[in-house]
Amino acid sequence: MDKIYNISVIGAGHVGLVTAACLAHLGHKVCCMDNNPSKIDLLSKGKIPIYEPGLEEMVLQSMAEDRLFFTGSMEEAVNHGEVIFIAVGTPPRENGEADLSYVENVAREIASLMESYKLIVEKSTVPVETGEKVKNTIKLYVRKNVPFDVASNPEFLREGSAIHDFMNPDRIVIGIDSEKAKRILMDIYKSLNAPIVVTDIKSAELIKHASNSFLAMKISFINAISRICEKVGADVEKVAEGMGLDKRIGREFLNAGIGFGGSCFPKDIDAFIHISESLGYDFRLLKEVKRINDEQRKLVIQKIKDVLWIIKGKKIAIWGVAFKPDTDDIRGAPAIDIIDQLITEGAKVCIYDPQAMENLKTVFDDSRIDYVQDKYQAIHDADCLLIVTEWEEFRNVDFNLMKKKMRFPFIVDGRNIYSSYNLQEKEFIYYGFGKPLPSGVKSQMRK
Ligand code: UDX
Ligand code: UDX
């Protein structure tokens, strides 16, 4: 029988909650703590404040079997957990630097409350050398001489498939500087069948920033290629297919379109650029990754103008606003910048998203935006349909009905989901990203 640990997870956001639920599912006794009382209130009643497939069932099952509970009390969390995962937010400051004040605060509180050995594990994405700072802070504030270790165990959870990613990881990274910490973390993950990379804490921290930056770089690379494809009439999807079959490259994260968003890639790139700079290295490659990504969002507007000329007064329907499918998360979503540009230019915007509209309303509570409950209702009398998020329900659609509903049958497909259909044959004007333009359309953009 595998050893069962008493574990506490501090922070019940996307990362903390999924981590807590999955650790409980593995059999550990988990306390999940958050300093937001209304969140704890909801969670204690078995209500999940975010949309993540499979999470609710998992939380309810572990709560029912007494392996998972929620609390707002740091004292209770510190008493409960021999192992304490820190999963609080590390939001960006204005200059891109990661704001580590929540992490520092949690480290101080743990230090002042702990009475016996604790293994404190960084789960949140943090800049290299944070582990050392956490360690120093705990040493400063710890009462008596309670022993402790600090470790880094970065998460690689994609929203929308976070449970699957936790249970079937490509690798588990363990950054430690003590044998005891190594043994405990190896024990905790024993039942998962994955390669384990054991290294020092700084290397583990770097693995996280380097991995996310590399993935973002792949996306910006293919988006740069898509611009060239558009100039010469080549097809970026075929280019990606041809490149991706080379095992050294791989096909994943080579989907061109309006670019990456989310609460991780944009923030992690900024933080990595910043920490590199403060260490004396100018990470210009990453600055370019970011610039290419920003440009893709502007390109959407150019594509609309290429056909409609003037945006003012036009009705633009938007399908999907979440930063990716299967989540209600709009943090860093390309949709936010795009909608902002559209309403600034005077468009009437009508939005449909299966999960993320309530969150978007907290950003845009604007009379020029209509929120509707059905995708076909959104395109009624629209001059253009813009696809921003590739939700499954947008893939199989009734094009005849769409043509009837729209004032003008024009689609800008930010995720290339209809690129295999011959939409020109169905009398649509169809713009993908990095795709040959419909014959007969003279683009201003090709100059
Ligand atoms: C966050 C980071 O953004 C990410 O970089 C990191 O890898 C993991 O943590 P996420 O879980 O999506 O990701 O963040 P967020 O939704 O902001 O959740 C953080 C939670 O911590 C919130 O519920 C917040 O209430 C809680 N929190 C924050 C505390 O409990 N204590 C604090 O001091 C600060
Ligand atoms: C990411 C990491 O993948 C994950 O390991 C963890 O570190 C948290 O951050 P997440 O942000 O949830 O996960 O989503 P991901 O699937 O990585 O997509 C990020 C963004 O890139 C999305 O906006 C997505 O639409 C975009 N993307 C992805 C592309 O534009 N093209 C692609 O080929 C792949």
Side-chain angles (χ1 to χ4, degrees), residues 8-21:
S8 292
V9 177
I10 313 298
H14 222 111
V15 172
L17 192 52
V18 169
T19 301

mmCIF file with all atom_site columns, all heavy atoms in Angstrom, residues 8-21:
data_model
loop_
_atom_site.group_PDB
_atom_site.id
_atom_site.type_symbol
_atom_site.label_atom_id
_atom_site.label_alt_id
_atom_site.label_comp_id
_atom_site.label_asym_id
_atom_site.label_entity_id
_atom_site.label_seq_id
_atom_site.pdbx_PDB_ins_code
_atom_site.Cartn_x
_atom_site.Cartn_y
_atom_site.Cartn_z
_atom_site.occupancy
_atom_site.B_iso_or_equiv
_atom_site.pdbx_formal_charge
_atom_site.auth_seq_id
_atom_site.auth_comp_id
_atom_site.auth_asym_id
_atom_site.auth_atom_id
_atom_site.pdbx_PDB_model_num
ATOM 1  N N   . SER A 1 8  ? -1.554  19.904 2.522   1.00 0.00 ? 8  SER A N   1
ATOM 2  C CA  . SER A 1 8  ? -2.369  21.121 2.409   1.00 0.00 ? 8  SER A CA  1
ATOM 3  C C   . SER A 1 8  ? -1.987  21.854 1.135   1.00 0.00 ? 8  SER A C   1
ATOM 4  O O   . SER A 1 8  ? -0.817  21.879 0.759   1.00 0.00 ? 8  SER A O   1
ATOM 5  C CB  . SER A 1 8  ? -2.153  22.038 3.618   1.00 0.00 ? 8  SER A CB  1
ATOM 6  O OG  . SER A 1 8  ? -2.688  21.416 4.766   1.00 0.00 ? 8  SER A OG  1
ATOM 7  N N   . VAL A 1 9  ? -2.997  22.403 0.489   1.00 0.00 ? 9  VAL A N   1
ATOM 8  C CA  . VAL A 1 9  ? -2.757  23.204 -0.719  1.00 0.00 ? 9  VAL A CA  1
ATOM 9  C C   . VAL A 1 9  ? -3.245  24.616 -0.414  1.00 0.00 ? 9  VAL A C   1
ATOM 10 O O   . VAL A 1 9  ? -4.415  24.798 -0.043  1.00 0.00 ? 9  VAL A O   1
ATOM 11 C CB  . VAL A 1 9  ? -3.504  22.613 -1.935  1.00 0.00 ? 9  VAL A CB  1
ATOM 12 C CG1 . VAL A 1 9  ? -3.301  23.492 -3.164  1.00 0.00 ? 9  VAL A CG1 1
ATOM 13 C CG2 . VAL A 1 9  ? -3.057  21.183 -2.207  1.00 0.00 ? 9  VAL A CG2 1
ATOM 14 N N   . ILE A 1 10 ? -2.371  25.586 -0.522  1.00 0.00 ? 10 ILE A N   1
ATOM 15 C CA  . ILE A 1 10 ? -2.755  26.975 -0.225  1.00 0.00 ? 10 ILE A CA  1
ATOM 16 C C   . ILE A 1 10 ? -3.074  27.677 -1.541  1.00 0.00 ? 10 ILE A C   1
ATOM 17 O O   . ILE A 1 10 ? -2.207  27.799 -2.407  1.00 0.00 ? 10 ILE A O   1
ATOM 18 C CB  . ILE A 1 10 ? -1.621  27.745 0.497   1.00 0.00 ? 10 ILE A CB  1
ATOM 19 C CG1 . ILE A 1 10 ? -1.029  26.914 1.646   1.00 0.00 ? 10 ILE A CG1 1
ATOM 20 C CG2 . ILE A 1 10 ? -2.112  29.110 0.980   1.00 0.00 ? 10 ILE A CG2 1
ATOM 21 C CD1 . ILE A 1 10 ? -1.974  26.563 2.756   1.00 0.00 ? 10 ILE A CD1 1
ATOM 22 N N   . GLY A 1 11 ? -4.327  28.140 -1.667  1.00 0.00 ? 11 GLY A N   1
ATOM 23 C CA  . GLY A 1 11 ? -4.792  28.759 -2.909  1.00 0.00 ? 11 GLY A CA  1
ATOM 24 C C   . GLY A 1 11 ? -5.703  27.785 -3.635  1.00 0.00 ? 11 GLY A C   1
ATOM 25 O O   . GLY A 1 11 ? -5.279  26.695 -4.017  1.00 0.00 ? 11 GLY A O   1
ATOM 26 N N   . ALA A 1 12 ? -6.976  28.180 -3.786  1.00 0.00 ? 12 ALA A N   1
ATOM 27 C CA  . ALA A 1 12 ? -7.940  27.306 -4.464  1.00 0.00 ? 12 ALA A CA  1
ATOM 28 C C   . ALA A 1 12 ? -8.315  27.894 -5.808  1.00 0.00 ? 12 ALA A C   1
ATOM 29 O O   . ALA A 1 12 ? -9.482  27.940 -6.186  1.00 0.00 ? 12 ALA A O   1
ATOM 30 C CB  . ALA A 1 12 ? -9.168  27.092 -3.590  1.00 0.00 ? 12 ALA A CB  1
ATOM 31 N N   . GLY A 1 13 ? -7.328  28.387 -6.547  1.00 0.00 ? 13 GLY A N   1
ATOM 32 C CA  . GLY A 1 13 ? -7.566  28.843 -7.914  1.00 0.00 ? 13 GLY A CA  1
ATOM 33 C C   . GLY A 1 13 ? -7.549  27.633 -8.834  1.00 0.00 ? 13 GLY A C   1
ATOM 34 O O   . GLY A 1 13 ? -7.674  26.492 -8.383  1.00 0.00 ? 13 GLY A O   1
ATOM 35 N N   . HIS A 1 14 ? -7.382  27.882 -10.121 1.00 0.00 ? 14 HIS A N   1
ATOM 36 C CA  . HIS A 1 14 ? -7.402  26.781 -11.077 1.00 0.00 ? 14 HIS A CA  1
ATOM 37 C C   . HIS A 1 14 ? -6.359  25.721 -10.717 1.00 0.00 ? 14 HIS A C   1
ATOM 38 O O   . HIS A 1 14 ? -6.635  24.532 -10.666 1.00 0.00 ? 14 HIS A O   1
ATOM 39 C CB  . HIS A 1 14 ? -7.128  27.333 -12.483 1.00 0.00 ? 14 HIS A CB  1
ATOM 40 C CG  . HIS A 1 14 ? -8.025  26.711 -13.496 1.00 0.00 ? 14 HIS A CG  1
ATOM 41 N ND1 . HIS A 1 14 ? -9.017  27.403 -14.127 1.00 0.00 ? 14 HIS A ND1 1
ATOM 42 C CD2 . HIS A 1 14 ? -8.087  25.450 -13.966 1.00 0.00 ? 14 HIS A CD2 1
ATOM 43 C CE1 . HIS A 1 14 ? -9.650  26.596 -14.941 1.00 0.00 ? 14 HIS A CE1 1
ATOM 44 N NE2 . HIS A 1 14 ? -9.100  25.407 -14.873 1.00 0.00 ? 14 HIS A NE2 1
ATOM 45 N N   . VAL A 1 15 ? -5.158  26.204 -10.428 1.00 0.00 ? 15 VAL A N   1
ATOM 46 C CA  . VAL A 1 15 ? -4.056  25.269 -10.173 1.00 0.00 ? 15 VAL A CA  1
ATOM 47 C C   . VAL A 1 15 ? -4.220  24.584 -8.815  1.00 0.00 ? 15 VAL A C   1
ATOM 48 O O   . VAL A 1 15 ? -4.131  23.359 -8.704  1.00 0.00 ? 15 VAL A O   1
ATOM 49 C CB  . VAL A 1 15 ? -2.709  26.028 -10.240 1.00 0.00 ? 15 VAL A CB  1
ATOM 50 C CG1 . VAL A 1 15 ? -1.575  25.146 -9.783  1.00 0.00 ? 15 VAL A CG1 1
ATOM 51 C CG2 . VAL A 1 15 ? -2.460  26.521 -11.662 1.00 0.00 ? 15 VAL A CG2 1
ATOM 52 N N   . GLY A 1 16 ? -4.496  25.384 -7.786  1.00 0.00 ? 16 GLY A N   1
ATOM 53 C CA  . GLY A 1 16 ? -4.600  24.831 -6.437  1.00 0.00 ? 16 GLY A CA  1
ATOM 54 C C   . GLY A 1 16 ? -5.741  23.835 -6.305  1.00 0.00 ? 16 GLY A C   1
ATOM 55 O O   . GLY A 1 16 ? -5.580  22.743 -5.735  1.00 0.00 ? 16 GLY A O   1
ATOM 56 N N   . LEU A 1 17 ? -6.887  24.197 -6.869  1.00 0.00 ? 17 LEU A N   1
ATOM 57 C CA  . LEU A 1 17 ? -8.057  23.337 -6.730  1.00 0.00 ? 17 LEU A CA  1
ATOM 58 C C   . LEU A 1 17 ? -7.866  22.011 -7.465  1.00 0.00 ? 17 LEU A C   1
ATOM 59 O O   . LEU A 1 17 ? -8.184  20.931 -6.933  1.00 0.00 ? 17 LEU A O   1
ATOM 60 C CB  . LEU A 1 17 ? -9.281  24.097 -7.262  1.00 0.00 ? 17 LEU A CB  1
ATOM 61 C CG  . LEU A 1 17 ? -10.640 23.503 -6.967  1.00 0.00 ? 17 LEU A CG  1
ATOM 62 C CD1 . LEU A 1 17 ? -10.815 23.217 -5.486  1.00 0.00 ? 17 LEU A CD1 1
ATOM 63 C CD2 . LEU A 1 17 ? -11.747 24.461 -7.435  1.00 0.00 ? 17 LEU A CD2 1
ATOM 64 N N   . VAL A 1 18 ? -7.350  22.088 -8.682  1.00 0.00 ? 18 VAL A N   1
ATOM 65 C CA  . VAL A 1 18 ? -7.117  20.847 -9.441  1.00 0.00 ? 18 VAL A CA  1
ATOM 66 C C   . VAL A 1 18 ? -6.063  20.000 -8.715  1.00 0.00 ? 18 VAL A C   1
ATOM 67 O O   . VAL A 1 18 ? -6.224  18.779 -8.578  1.00 0.00 ? 18 VAL A O   1
ATOM 68 C CB  . VAL A 1 18 ? -6.663  21.170 -10.890 1.00 0.00 ? 18 VAL A CB  1
ATOM 69 C CG1 . VAL A 1 18 ? -6.163  19.919 -11.599 1.00 0.00 ? 18 VAL A CG1 1
ATOM 70 C CG2 . VAL A 1 18 ? -7.801  21.803 -11.674 1.00 0.00 ? 18 VAL A CG2 1
ATOM 71 N N   . THR A 1 19 ? -5.014  20.636 -8.221  1.00 0.00 ? 19 THR A N   1
ATOM 72 C CA  . THR A 1 19 ? -3.959  19.896 -7.511  1.00 0.00 ? 19 THR A CA  1
ATOM 73 C C   . THR A 1 19 ? -4.540  19.216 -6.270  1.00 0.00 ? 19 THR A C   1
ATOM 74 O O   . THR A 1 19 ? -4.288  18.023 -6.026  1.00 0.00 ? 19 THR A O   1
ATOM 75 C CB  . THR A 1 19 ? -2.816  20.858 -7.111  1.00 0.00 ? 19 THR A CB  1
ATOM 76 O OG1 . THR A 1 19 ? -2.307  21.460 -8.304  1.00 0.00 ? 19 THR A OG1 1
ATOM 77 C CG2 . THR A 1 19 ? -1.691  20.144 -6.394  1.00 0.00 ? 19 THR A CG2 1
ATOM 78 N N   . ALA A 1 20 ? -5.334  19.972 -5.505  1.00 0.00 ? 20 ALA A N   1
ATOM 79 C CA  . ALA A 1 20 ? -5.916  19.406 -4.275  1.00 0.00 ? 20 ALA A CA  1
ATOM 80 C C   . ALA A 1 20 ? -6.821  18.225 -4.616  1.00 0.00 ? 20 ALA A C   1
ATOM 81 O O   . ALA A 1 20 ? -6.733  17.149 -3.994  1.00 0.00 ? 20 ALA A O   1
ATOM 82 C CB  . ALA A 1 20 ? -6.699  20.485 -3.534  1.00 0.00 ? 20 ALA A CB  1
ATOM 83 N N   . ALA A 1 21 ? -7.681  18.414 -5.629  1.00 0.00 ? 21 ALA A N   1
ATOM 84 C CA  . ALA A 1 21 ? -8.629  17.350 -5.985  1.00 0.00 ? 21 ALA A CA  1
ATOM 85 C C   . ALA A 1 21 ? -7.880  16.101 -6.460  1.00 0.00 ? 21 ALA A C   1
ATOM 86 O O   . ALA A 1 21 ? -8.225  14.967 -6.075  1.00 0.00 ? 21 ALA A O   1
ATOM 87 C CB  . ALA A 1 21 ? -9.582  17.842 -7.077  1.00 0.00 ? 21 ALA A CB  1
#
